[in-house]
Amino acid sequence: MYIQKDYLDFINMGVYYDYILIDPPWRFNNKLPFLNEYQLKYNLWDDNIKCMNYIFSNINCKYLLCWGCNSIINEIIESSKHTPFNYKTIVTWVKTTINGKLFYGLGNTFRNSTEQLLVFQKDKCKPLNLNMRNVVIEPCGKRTIKPKKFEKELIDNLNNKGYKGCYIFSGNQINELNCDCIDIMDKE
C-alpha cells in the first residue's frame, strides 16, 4: 500500500505496526556547498529534536528504525530520551559510487560517505534478533534514496518474523518493498 500523507496526520491516525522504518525530512545546518531546500519536493522539519521527540512519544509500534546522517546522530538519540523507546544499535551504510568505489571524506552535513540506521525498541519488547550485518556497502543514488538491497532484505527479514511494517519517507516512491509506504506530502 502506498499512501501520500503528512507524517503527523499519519501518526495521529493511531495505526499500529510492529515496526516503522523512517527517513525523516531533516533540517540541516547548511554550510557551503549547501542544498537549496526549494530543490526538494517536500517540507523540511523546523526542529529535528522536537519533531523526532513527537514521533518517539506518539508513534504506535514496537520497533522504530530511523535513517540519519552522521551529523545528527546525537539529535536522534537525544530526542528519544524520556520516551517509551530505547536506543539499541546502529547500522552503517558505506556509500559507493556506481563503479563500486568507496566515497571518501567527511563531506558536509547531508552528503556524508556513510549514513546510519538507528534502531530503537519500545520498553518491554523482545529484541529483534535479525541475522543481518550492521555494515552495508551499497551504491548511493539520488538524494533521499537509501540502499535498496539492504532495505529489501531488512523488510523481508522483519516480515518473515510475522511483523507488520511501514516505511515513512520523503522523496521518491518505493515500489519494490513489501510493506506499507507513507510518502511525506509534496509542497503545494
Side-chain angles (χ1 to χ4, degrees):
M1 173 172 51
Y2 175 79
I3 303 169
Q4 194 170 27
K5 195 165 209 46
D6 180 84
Y7 79 96
L8 286 174
D9 292 337
F10 169 75
I11 290 169
N12 292 332
M13 287 172 41
V15 179
Y16 173 79
Y17 289 95
D18 294 302
Y19 70 90
I20 294 181
L21 177 61
I22 184 169
D23 183 11
W26 301 115
R27 176 157 313 270
F28 296 99
N29 181 12
N30 288 339
K31 296 189 173 152
L32 291 174
F34 63 91
L35 179 72
N36 184 337
E37 70 180 79
Y38 299 106
Q39 294 172 309
L40 304 176
K41 295 181 181 178
Y42 53 89
N43 293 314
L44 300 176
W45 282 345
D46 291 328
D47 181 324
N48 292 336
I49 293 177
K50 182 179 174 185
C51 291
M52 275 306 295
N53 183 266
Y54 182 84
I55 289 173
F56 280 120
S57 298
N58 295 287
I59 205 153
N60 197 5
C61 66
K62 294 178 185 175
Y63 309 100
L64 184 64
L65 300 92
C66 180
W67 281 110
C69 295
N70 301 334
S71 62
I72 57 172
I73 291 173
N74 288 339
E75 291 180 51
I76 298 169
I77 293 173
E78 179 68 27
S79 64
S80 72
K81 291 182 179 175
H82 311 295
T83 74
F85 285 90
N86 298 303
Y87 168 75
K88 289 299 176 182
T89 192
I90 195 165
V91 176
T92 299
W93 169 30
V94 179
K95 297 178 181 182
T96 64
T97 66
I98 56 172
N99 298 325
K101 297 186 180 198
L102 296 178
F103 277 102
Y104 288 100
L106 298 177
N108 52 39
T109 57
F110 52 84
R111 293 186 187 270
N112 292 298
S113 298
T114 62
E115 282 190 47
Q116 314 303 325
L117 180 67
L118 287 81
V119 179
F120 295 87
Q121 176 182 305
K122 203 169 221 178
D123 292 336
K124 300 180 183 173
C125 289
K126 65 180 181 176
L128 275 177
N129 292 329
L130 297 176
N131 188 19
M132 294 183 67
R133 305 245 181 233
N134 67 342
V135 175
V136 178
I137 301 174
E138 268 193 58
C140 99
K142 296 179 182 175
R143 181 166 165 67
T144 75
I145 303 295
K146 299 302 179 223
K148 292 180 183 179
K149 287 183 207 170
F150 168 76
E151 282 189 329
K152 180 164 181 11
E153 180 184 359
L154 173 65
I155 290 168
D156 288 348
N157 274 301
L158 290 163
N159 292 346
N160 289 339
K161 287 187 165 274
Y163 293 146
K164 179 181 176 187
C166 177
Y167 192 173
I168 302 174
F169 60 94
S170 45
N172 302 320
Q173 183 172 342
I174 304 167
N175 295 319
E176 57 273 346
L177 300 177
N178 189 15
C179 67
D180 291 348
C181 293
I182 313 301
D183 183 2
I184 295 171
M185 277 198 215
D186 290 351
K187 291 181 179 179
E188 296 181 18

